[in-house]
């Protein structure tokens, strides 16, 4: 960590070092700006701190999860569903799960790397079906930055020329594994589109980084920098410019404003000493993750901005969405007693099933994609839990061991990831009474799914059950009922929360303009998922990265023109 002088005024202060903040710091330092990057979490070096290639027996806990590592002890993320001293609250009846990372690089250290462009339809959904709102920009407005993101970071995939699944600049994709081939055959028989997956993992040398060696452990980080994390790909080149001041363990409290109504810096808590500090900057870029950014804006109250900063529209915290999700898994008898075979590959799926249907024949709007899991990864703690669900599985001693061998790799699962329509009942606000350990008021979440989402998830359940049946398999769990919400995951739990400071042309109904610049404060920008007007049936991070680069290029241009 570099020390910073309080009297320094930086060109830009970026808050948060994940996907959005890392890209902003990278683009702005390359463009010549002196940037202070505030990160609430600790330093993290994937090479030194990651657990790649550790065996379960390297730990007495065998890699089992902990409160700080809910996805397993070797997972490359510090943070989780609950962070000590940093609570959030929920309105009565709300079920919302909020995953937060607290480390350099944020959630990009362990994310799934499914890297999808939003398609042309995803930017103007209201014009197509009358629901939600259109974005003030089109796919063509973002395309050049998607291309640049592909070139900078590297991504594998295949050109498919599908209408709402734009192709990118791809490295060759890895071949499907055995269970993925079986799933492909069954899904295609039912009319489901199946293509190679698109993950930000390099399969040939790229910008000085080595290609993937197929250890299959991407969630631990990557010591060879073959997959994308902000920590591996964006922060080091920004540091090399000599223009980045990286300040970790720095919990931003609020954006400060001058008498002229412009942002003049960020106040933060130095977590190591517990002291309050301030960074002065001519421009502020918030990228603390969608909900944290809404929280920062709402907590940045002053006599000029009594309802929070950039909130003259009253929409900060509103139009919050997450991806819909549900899973089904089953046992595939034809995969029992499989001879050992090569399942090496990336830490993620090798196939992808994009949305393939026409909504005019369905009882829900929008769509979902399908992710597939299964196979014979390195066994870890809790491995093959529920062996009694297999025919004649379970028991004790030698026969139990035998069952593990026979059934290992004989199950497959499908996860649906769909588009939620923003609604008035899904939002966050400041809890009037609760503060975190730093005295910062916390968020209170409100959440209600509508029939749009319930019907969509019911369709996912039915589809996945049909694919498993087509594979000759047996599903492990009964079809969830309407009262069980058809198995819909809690809001927030798919970890694709977006919105809370949406973009728009109209300053009375949106927070930022088409360049992610606050309508009310021209030197304040947002570079995470908060400006998203809508979800898509795609994971959001590739769009966060492309928009952050686009916003940062706009800032650089405006600085050059003397407008900022
Ligand atoms: C297990 C998992 C799998 C995922 N898989 C995928 C996937 O396959 N595809 C996909 O598109 N997306 C995926 N995601 C989502 C993806 O990680 C996020 O969309 C992305 O990281 C968001 O980027 P961000 O910059 O907004 O936030 P983050 O990456 O979370 O970064 C925010 C940073 O801001 C810091 N911060 C927060 N508050 C403050 C503050 N007050 N002061 C200073 N710093 C602060 C945090 O510590 C953090 O480092 C996944 C997420 C998880 C957890
Ligand atoms: S599978 Fe490839 S990209 Fe993922 S951690 Fe292993 S080497 Fe790195």
């Amino acid at each position: 960590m570099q020390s910073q002088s309080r009297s320094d005024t930086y060109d830009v202060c970026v808050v948060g070092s994940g996907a959005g903040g890392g890209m902003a710091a990278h683009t702005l330092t390359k463009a010549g700006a002196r940037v202070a990057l505030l990160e609430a979490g600790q330093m993290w070096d994937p090479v030194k701190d990651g657990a790649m290639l550790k065996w379960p027996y390297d730990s007495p806990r065998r890699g089992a999860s902990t409160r700080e590592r809910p996805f397993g002890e070797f997972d490359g993320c510090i943070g989780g569903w609950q962070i000590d001293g940093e609570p959030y609250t929920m309105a009565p009846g709300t079920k919302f799960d909020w995953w937060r990372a607290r480390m350099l690089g944020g959630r990009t250290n362990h994310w799934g790397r499914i890297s999808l462009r939003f398609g042309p339809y995803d930017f103007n959904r209201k014009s197509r079906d009358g629901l939600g709102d259109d974005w003030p920009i089109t796919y063509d407005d973002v395309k050049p930055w998607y291309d640049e993101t592909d070139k900078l970071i590297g991504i594998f995939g295949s050109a498919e020329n599908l209408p709402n699944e734009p192709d990118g600049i791809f490295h060759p994709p890895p071949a499907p594994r055995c269970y993925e081939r079986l799933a492909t055959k069954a899904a295609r028989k039912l009319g489901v589109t199946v293509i190679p997956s698109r993950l930000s993992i390099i399969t040939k040398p790229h910008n000085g980084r080595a290609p993937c060696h197929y250890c299959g452990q991407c969630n631990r980080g990557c010591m060879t920098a073959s997959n994308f994390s902000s920590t591996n790909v964006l922060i080091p080149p920004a540091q090399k410019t000599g223009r980045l001041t990286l300040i970790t363990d720095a919990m931003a409290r609020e954006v400060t404003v001058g008498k002229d109504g412009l942002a003049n810096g960020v106040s933060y808590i130095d977590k190591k000493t517990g002291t309050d500090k301030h960074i002065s900057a001519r421009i502020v870029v918030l990228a603390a993750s969608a909900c944290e950014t809404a929280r920062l804006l709402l907590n940045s109250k002053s006599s000029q901005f009594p309802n929070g900063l950039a909130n003259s529209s009253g929409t900060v915290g509103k139009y919050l969405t997450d991806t819909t999700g549900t899973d089904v898994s089953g046992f595939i008898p034809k995969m029992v007693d499989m001879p050992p075979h090569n399942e090496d590959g990336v830490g993620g799926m090798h196939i992808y099933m994009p949305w393939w249907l026409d909504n005019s024949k369905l009882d829900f709007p929008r769509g979902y994609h399908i992710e597939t899991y299964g196979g014979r990864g390195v066994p870890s703690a809790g491995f093959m839990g529920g062996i009694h669900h297999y025919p004649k599985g379970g028991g004790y001693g030698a026969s139990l061991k035998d069952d593990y061998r026979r059934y290992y790799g004989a199950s497959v699962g499908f996860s649906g990831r769909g588009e939620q329509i923003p609604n008035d009942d899904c939002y966050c606000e400041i809890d009037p009474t609760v503060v975190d350990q730093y005295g910062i008021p916390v968020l209170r979440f409100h959440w209600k799914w509508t029939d749009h989402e319930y019907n969509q998830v019911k369709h996912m359940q039915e589809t996945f059950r049909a694919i498993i049946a087509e594979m000759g398999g047996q599903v492990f769990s009964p079809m969830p009922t309407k009262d069980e919400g058809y198995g819909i995951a809690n809001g927030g739990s798919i970890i694709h929360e977006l919105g809370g400071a949406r973009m728009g042309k109209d300053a009375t109904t949106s927070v930022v303009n088409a360049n992610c610049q606050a309508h009310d404060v021209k030197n304040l920008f947002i570079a995470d998922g908060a400006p998203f007007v809508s979800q898509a049936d795609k994971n959001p991070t590739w769009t966060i990265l492309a928009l952050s680069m686009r916003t940062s290029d706009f800032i650089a241009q405006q600085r050059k023109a003397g407008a900022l």
Side-chain angles (χ1 to χ4, degrees), residues 277-294:
K277 292 193 172 165
H278 183 260
I279 282 281
S280 299
R282 294 178 191 88
I283 296 166
V284 171
V285 176
L286 297 181
S289 79
C291 300
E292 284 278 1
T293 284

Side-chain angles (χ1 to χ4, degrees), residues 96-116:
F96 187 84
D97 299 314
W98 190 19
W99 181 284
R100 290 165 293 170
R102 286 286 177 268
M103 64 199 298
L104 186 67
R107 289 173 286 177
T108 67
N109 290 292
H110 76 143
W111 69 308
R113 282 141 187 125
I114 301 171
S115 301
L116 304 167

Side-chain angles (χ1 to χ4, degrees), residues 24-71:
H26 181 274
T27 311
L28 288 163
T29 50
K30 291 263 170 180
R34 284 180 60 246
V35 174
L37 177 57
L38 295 182
E39 167 51 55
Q42 65 188 63
M43 265 316 275
W44 179 262
D45 176 348
V47 176
K48 282 205 317 259
D49 303 325
M52 194 165 106
L53 304 183
K54 271 199 178 165
W55 291 96
Y57 54 71
D58 287 333
S59 159
R61 313 188 74 262
R62 301 288 187 263
S65 59
T66 62
R67 187 173 149 95
E68 293 77 31
R69 299 281 173 88
F71 291 169

Side-chain angles (χ1 to χ4, degrees), residues 140-411:
D140 287 338
D141 291 324
V142 193
K143 182 182 181 301
W145 284 274
Y146 278 129
D147 288 350
E148 288 308 310
T149 303
D150 288 2
K151 284 191 244 167
L152 174 69
I153 293 176
I155 173 174
F156 71 71
S158 57
E160 300 289 337
N161 206 19
L162 295 169
N164 196 39
E165 308 288 333
D167 297 326
I169 302 164
F170 294 130
H171 286 208
R177 300 157 171 120
C178 173
Y179 71 95
E180 292 173 322
R181 288 174 194 270
L182 290 173
T184 300
K185 206 168 145 197
R188 286 195 176 141
K189 227 169 169 184
L190 297 173
V192 179
T193 307
V194 189
I195 63 174
S197 61
R198 296 172 171 182
L199 270 61
S200 45
I201 296 169
I202 53 176
T203 55
K204 31 181 217 189
H206 189 77
N207 295 341
R209 291 155 54 210
C212 173
H213 55 265
Y214 298 134
C215 75
Q217 299 180 340
C218 287
N219 71 313
R220 301 184 183 192
C222 183
M223 288 178 180
T224 56
S226 309
N227 63 21
F228 167 69
S229 67
S230 172
T231 340
N232 259 338
V233 180
L234 299 174
I235 306 287
Q239 282 177 306
K240 273 201 191 126
T241 65
R243 288 187 281 274
L244 183 71
T245 300
L246 174 59
I247 308 168
T248 51
D249 294 295
M251 182 77 188
R253 181 193 290 280
E254 65 176 295
V255 179
T256 53
V257 288
K259 287 195 183 109
D260 54 5
L262 293 177
N264 62 13
V266 178
S267 69
Y268 68 95
I269 294 110
D270 176 342
K271 285 165 60 178
K272 286 200 168 138
T273 60
T275 50
D276 266 296
K277 292 193 172 165
H278 183 260
I279 282 281
S280 299
R282 294 178 191 88
I283 296 166
V284 171
V285 176
L286 297 181
S289 79
C291 300
E292 284 278 1
T293 284
R295 179 185 178 204
L296 271 165
L297 291 175
L298 291 169
N299 278 331
S300 300
K301 286 185 183 168
S302 60
S303 51
Q304 289 138 296
F305 300 101
N307 298 325
L309 196 57
N311 194 22
S312 63
S313 64
T315 60
V316 172
K318 304 275 172 26
Y319 307 109
L320 204 59
T321 54
D322 187 25
T323 291
T324 59
T326 195
D327 313 298
V328 180
S329 57
F331 159 63
I332 312 294
K334 71 173 86 149
M335 293 174 75
V336 175
D337 278 330
M338 289 267 270
H341 58 275
N342 187 355
E343 280 210 349
D344 286 357
V346 302
M349 62 198 190
H350 288 188
I351 56 168
Y352 174 65
M353 302 181 195
W355 178 236
W356 70 104
L357 290 172
D358 171 5
N359 292 95
S360 64
K361 298 177 187 119
L362 298 167
D363 63 354
F364 60 90
R366 317 290 166 93
Y368 61 88
H369 74 255
I370 308 173
E371 299 174 7
T372 312
Y373 53 92
R376 298 171 156 228
V378 176
S380 57
F383 135 85
M384 286 184 77
I387 188 141
H388 54 287
H389 292 306
Y390 293 81
K392 300 196 201 112
Y396 298 93
S399 78
L400 176 63
K401 285 186 187 166
D402 206 39
D403 283 346
Y404 276 120
R405 287 190 193 99
R406 286 197 310 128
Y407 292 133
Y408 180 40
S411 65

Side-chain angles (χ1 to χ4, degrees), residues 536-552:
D537 48 49
K538 334 255 184 330
N539 315 48
T541 308
W542 215 243
T543 303
I544 293 176
L545 287 159
L547 286 177
S548 172
M549 193 197 273
R550 182 173 177 269
T551 297
S552 304

